[in-house]
Amino acid sequence: MIEFARNVRLWFAPREIGEEGHTPDYRFSLANERTFLAWLRTALALIGGGFAVDQFLPDLRWGWRVGLALALLAAGVLCSLRAVNHWVRCERAMRRGEDLPVSRFPALLSLAVTVVAVAMVVVVLVRGNG
Amino acid sequence: MRDPGLQPERTRLAWRRTTLSGTVAAVLAGRTALHGGPSSARIAVCAVCCVLWVCFLAVAHRRIRTLATTGDDGPPALAARHATAAALCAVALAVCGALLVL
């Protein structure tokens, strides 16, 4: 968590990243940028999914609908914040010539998506029978 | 420099895909905002979503233009504040969504 707070400062301070180590091959930086953008798209898809649950499942009970929508929106927020954080960490590691950071986040996100998907299946089945 | 991987080109297209995702999310946000009948609060949230979308487009446009400038060692790396701005647009869109859903 302290590490995260330290990285947040770097999000807004491009110079501090630029002063460390040496500039890597630009292709590595661009690859890192594309990974960041892919995570941002994932975040935007989760946020769009939150809106879609709210809009296109009007028959759902209020609690379920709002709960699912908020869960997806929260996942989108986490995913986009983590996208910047991971980009900063990778950029810094490349400059310093260290190993790239490893992350538990992809596993956590896939578990969260699994839970939401199972919840959707349950909701659809229960409504189909009821 | 010879670049058989077309890295700037691929990065440009990645920004394009991301603006497309952002547009879809913003359209869904606008639909949600105006669905429950127009009230002044809902129109305000819809306007905020539109502004966020424009901000995101501006960041993407700037970056795409920078990517087009090729020096000896390729285009400059993405600035941290632009990455943060793009991500914060997504976060703010989600916050608007949470306000609308509740």
Side-chain angles (χ1 to χ4, degrees), chain B residues 73-86:
Chain B
D73 37 328
L78 177 65
R81 60 175 188 284
H82 291 154
T84 310

Side-chain angles (χ1 to χ4, degrees), chain A residues 11 26 33-34 41 55, chain B residues 7 11 15 31 63 84:
Chain A
W11 297 3
Y26 78 92
E33 180 177 343
R34 287 197 297 278
R41 282 198 295 281
Q55 282 292 293
Chain B
Q7 304 277 340
T11 313
W15 274 103
R31 197 195 131 100
R63 182 60 187 155
T84 310

Side-chain angles (χ1 to χ4, degrees), chain A residues 41, chain B residues 8-18 64 67:
Chain A
R41 282 198 295 281
Chain B
E9 182 84 1
R10 283 161 63 193
T11 313
R12 185 172 66 78
L13 290 171
W15 274 103
R16 280 269 170 263
R17 287 198 293 280
T18 312
I64 284 171
L67 283 170

Side-chain angles (χ1 to χ4, degrees), chain B residues 48-72:
Chain B
V48 170
C49 290
C50 289
V51 169
L52 289 171
W53 179 68
V54 170
C55 287
F56 191 81
L57 281 193
V59 172
H61 185 69
R62 230 186 120 119
R63 182 60 187 155
I64 284 171
R65 277 178 56 180
T66 315
L67 283 170
T69 63
T70 41
D72 282 343

